[in-house]
Amino acid sequence: ANALKKYGWSVSLAYSVASPKQSNQEYADIYDEIYSICSIQQFIEFINKSEFDYVHSSNEPDFLTMILNQTNKTIIHDCHDLSSAYKSMTPEEMYIEFEANRESDGVIYTTEGIRDEALKKFNIPIEKTFVLENLISEELAPQKKYKKISDSDYELHCVYEGGVIPHDKESHRYFEVIWKQLAEAGVHVHFYTNCERTYCEYLESLHKRIHFEGNFSSKQLAQEMTKYDVGLCILNVTEKNKQYLEFASPNKIQEYVNAGIPVAVGNILSQKQFVEKNGFGKEIDFNNNILEQIGDIAQIEIKENILHKKGLTLESKIPELINFYETCRGLEL
């Protein structure tokens, strides 16, 4: 929203569950207006009578996009991921996902892999699609950097930020085994998440080197993470989720780099290729010396403003995004 406003656009928000005033106060002031979705009929009438040129709709949940496709506006479906690629769905859920992707005027995907999958699955014309990776805003660059914890105790300190799923060994966000292995190898694991506190405390109890640090806003977190040596993007890979993870675009990689710290990734080829190609980090092989590998990654220098220099910030993609919006409107007309 902020990036579009810099190009003279007016951006409002409609929400179905909670206003940012309740859940993300730091984002509450960036919108021109904030509207509550009270009922389906009210929402359709509101959109039809409004002067909006475009409605950019998230796929959480897909059915909001399907509803919006009944309106007289240009609808852009922002497909963060394909639910059918990683979970079992009812026939109704599959139909809703199909309609949201197939019938929208345009669809945004986070990776080329997800777009390729969608093109085959839904038979969408490629000109109706756009790839916008999970890039972070230049506004999130840390204003200051903290002294490294390792400068004081001479031990290695890694950080994980993001979702944590309790007890589900099939989830890619199940970390009990991975973090315990890291801790037993001599590596500290600090994690930031909005997961329920009781489970976070349970994770801490697994080893003295696992530390729950709370939940911070994006801007605060960018500064907090500067005090660590390595960012962790080592996910729980199973036969069931491996294909989905190959297509995924985890924003945490860029967020670690934004904080000036290199990244350790697991055995996901696309993530390994991305960090190694850009000099951001390396893969960890848990069958070899873990402490030594983390130490090697910690030595990788992340240069100032490297994401901006490589064109890996959200702002660098906004002109292309605006062009895509305008193309979708032309296709609709």
Side-chain angles (χ1 to χ4, degrees):
N2 267 339
L4 285 169
K5 287 172 77 172
K6 288 175 183 175
Y7 281 80
W9 285 50
S10 172
V11 184
S12 296
L13 174 73
Y15 67 90
S16 59
V17 177
S19 166
K21 291 178 180 176
Q22 299 166 266
S23 55
N24 289 289
Q25 183 63 42
E26 66 177 312
Y27 300 119
D29 296 330
I30 66 176
Y31 301 101
D32 292 274
E33 299 287 346
I34 296 178
Y35 305 99
S36 172
I37 301 171
C38 300
S39 72
I40 292 174
Q41 189 58 39
Q42 171 264 342
F43 190 40
I44 291 174
E45 289 177 4
F46 166 70
I47 294 297
N48 280 337
K49 293 176 182 177
S50 73
E51 296 184 356
F52 297 123
D53 298 297
Y54 306 93
V55 183
H56 183 121
S57 178
S58 170
N59 74 316
E60 292 288 343
D62 281 327
F63 73 78
L64 284 178
T65 301
M66 191 174 77
I67 292 166
L68 286 162
N69 281 330
Q70 309 305 311
T71 68
N72 58 15
K73 296 296 187 285
T74 302
I75 307 302
I76 310 296
H77 181 56
D78 190 348
C79 183
H80 185 82
D81 53 28
L82 290 173
S83 299
S84 56
Y86 67 94
K87 71 176 185 180
S88 299
M89 299 175 73
T90 65
E92 181 185 39
E93 289 172 330
M94 292 175 68
Y95 173 75
I96 291 171
E97 183 182 71
F98 175 85
E99 284 287 299
N101 283 268
R102 185 77 176 90
E103 298 303 319
S104 296
D105 299 298
V107 192
I108 297 173
Y109 299 102
T110 52
T111 66
E112 293 286 352
I114 292 177
R115 177 166 72 172
D116 290 345
E117 184 79 2
L119 291 174
K120 289 184 290 185
K121 188 172 284 190
F122 308 122
N123 194 27
I124 308 170
I126 194 168
E127 61 269 20
K128 282 180 55 173
T129 67
F130 181 69
V131 174
L132 180 65
E133 297 91 347
N134 281 330
L135 304 175
I136 64 169
S137 171
E138 293 175 9
E139 294 181 357
L140 292 181
Q143 300 303 303
K144 63 178 179 179
K145 294 188 176 181
Y146 294 122
K147 183 181 178 182
K148 300 284 186 187
I149 301 173
S150 55
D151 289 346
S152 300
D153 65 9
Y154 304 104
E155 297 190 359
L156 287 169
H157 292 261
C158 295
V159 60
Y160 170 84
E161 61 90 3
V164 175
I165 301 297
H167 311 302
D168 181 3
K169 295 181 181 180
E170 292 299 312
S171 171
H172 61 283
R173 292 192 175 110
Y174 171 77
F175 296 114
E176 293 178 23
V177 176
I178 295 168
W179 289 357
K180 194 172 180 183
Q181 280 183 274
L182 287 165
E184 288 173 346
V187 177
H188 288 268
V189 177
H190 302 256
F191 66 103
Y192 297 79
T193 185
N194 60 0
C195 181
E196 59 189 63
R197 188 172 188 87
T198 52
Y199 183 64
C200 293
E201 290 170 351
Y202 167 74
L203 287 172
E204 274 194 310
S205 73
L206 295 176
H207 200 281
K208 65 180 181 179
R209 293 194 189 93
I210 299 176
H211 318 276
F212 173 51
E213 302 292 355
N215 184 32
F216 286 68
S217 70
S218 299
K219 289 182 180 179
Q220 289 175 303
L221 188 58
Q223 289 188 179
E224 274 284 309
M225 293 196 299
T226 61
K227 62 189 179 188
Y228 301 109
D229 301 302
V230 173
L232 297 176
C233 189
I234 303 172
L235 305 174
N236 180 44
V237 182
T238 67
E239 286 300 317
K240 198 172 181 180
N241 65 29
K242 187 173 177 63
Q243 183 183 17
Y244 160 71
L245 291 174
E246 283 290 355
F247 293 156
S249 173
N251 54 311
K252 59 177 55 60
I253 291 179
Q254 282 91 341
E255 288 173 2
Y256 296 142
V257 174
N258 176 59
I261 56 175
V263 186
V265 299
N267 60 334
I268 298 296
L269 183 61
S270 60
Q271 294 173 17
K272 175 187 174 184
Q273 290 175 337
F274 178 77
V275 297
E276 292 185 353
K277 171 188 170 185
N278 288 286
F280 292 160
K282 291 180 181 178
E283 177 188 5
I284 290 290
D285 180 357
F286 278 80
N287 294 316
N288 288 316
N289 190 312
I290 294 172
L291 186 64
E292 186 177 295
Q293 291 176 83
I294 292 288
D296 289 343
I297 294 172
Q299 297 303 310
I300 296 173
E301 181 188 2
I302 303 297
K303 295 181 180 177
E304 199 80 22
N305 296 321
I306 190 65
L307 293 174
H308 172 75
K309 291 172 183 174
K310 286 181 173 286
L312 292 172
T313 61
L314 180 65
E315 285 78 2
S316 69
K317 300 288 186 180
I318 293 300
E320 293 176 56
L321 178 63
I322 291 173
N323 182 63
F324 175 66
Y325 281 152
E326 292 171 345
T327 299
C328 291
R329 200 174 188 192
L331 288 170
E332 180 203 20
L333 295 172

